[in-house]
Amino acid sequence: LIGYDRQQLEFLSALAGAVINISLSLILIPRMGTIGAAWAIVISEVIILWMAVLFVKWKIARLTILPHLWRPLIAGAAASSILLILGQNNLWMAGFLAAMVYLLIFILFNPGLISKLRSLAFQNQAAGS
C-alpha cells in the first residue's frame, strides 16, 4: 500500500489493528496473562494483514496470498507444537528448538536459499571493497 502511494489505507489497517489489539488486551490479559497478550497481538496482526490484502485487491490489483502462506504456516505450526510440548519443562530450550525447527523447515521449502544468501553476501563484500 505504501509503495503504491496509499498510505491512508495502510494507516487504516494499522489503526484497526491497534484498536483490536487494545480491546483484546483489555479483555484477555486479565484472564489469561501473557498468553492473552500474545493472542491479542496475533489476532490484531491477522486483521491488519486481512485489511491490507482487501485494500490492495480493491484499489491496486488482484492478489492471491494463500499460495505464499502455506509454507510459513506449516513451519509456524511445527514450531508452536514444540513450544506447547516442551515449553512447560524448559522454556529457553523449547524456544531454541522451535526456532531451529522453523529455520529447518524454511530451508527445506526453499532449497536454493543458502546459495542465494551466499552469492548476496559475496556481492556485498565485492561492492564494499
Side-chain angles (χ1 to χ4, degrees):
L1 291 169
I2 293 171
Y4 282 96
D5 199 27
R6 306 292 180 153
Q7 289 87 349
Q8 69 278 14
L9 297 177
E10 170 63 27
F11 173 75
L12 287 176
S13 300
L15 181 64
V19 169
I20 297 288
N21 191 330
I22 292 167
S23 303
L24 287 176
S25 292
L26 290 171
I27 295 167
L28 296 177
I29 291 174
R31 294 182 181 153
M32 301 170 70
T34 54
I35 300 296
W39 275 111
I41 291 170
V42 168
I43 292 168
S44 66
E45 290 296 325
V46 168
I47 296 297
I48 291 169
L49 174 64
W50 175 72
M51 286 186 68
V53 168
L54 286 180
F55 285 143
V56 167
K57 285 182 178 180
W58 178 46
K59 290 287 188 175
I60 299 166
R62 188 86 178 124
L63 183 66
T64 55
I65 192 167
L66 221 47
H68 304 285
L69 283 181
W70 70 270
R71 291 176 186 97
L73 285 174
I74 289 173
S80 297
S81 298
I82 288 178
L83 281 174
L84 285 173
I85 293 167
L86 302 176
Q88 286 81 18
N89 298 330
N90 186 341
L91 188 58
W92 288 103
M93 182 57 73
F96 176 76
L97 287 174
M100 291 299 105
V101 164
Y102 188 92
L103 183 63
L104 179 64
I105 291 173
F106 188 78
I107 290 170
L108 288 174
F109 280 145
N110 301 289
L113 180 68
I114 302 285
S115 61
K116 287 178 189 174
L117 289 175
R118 254 192 226 130
S119 69
L120 247 156
F122 288 128
Q123 284 176 357
N124 287 338
Q125 272 183 342
S129 303

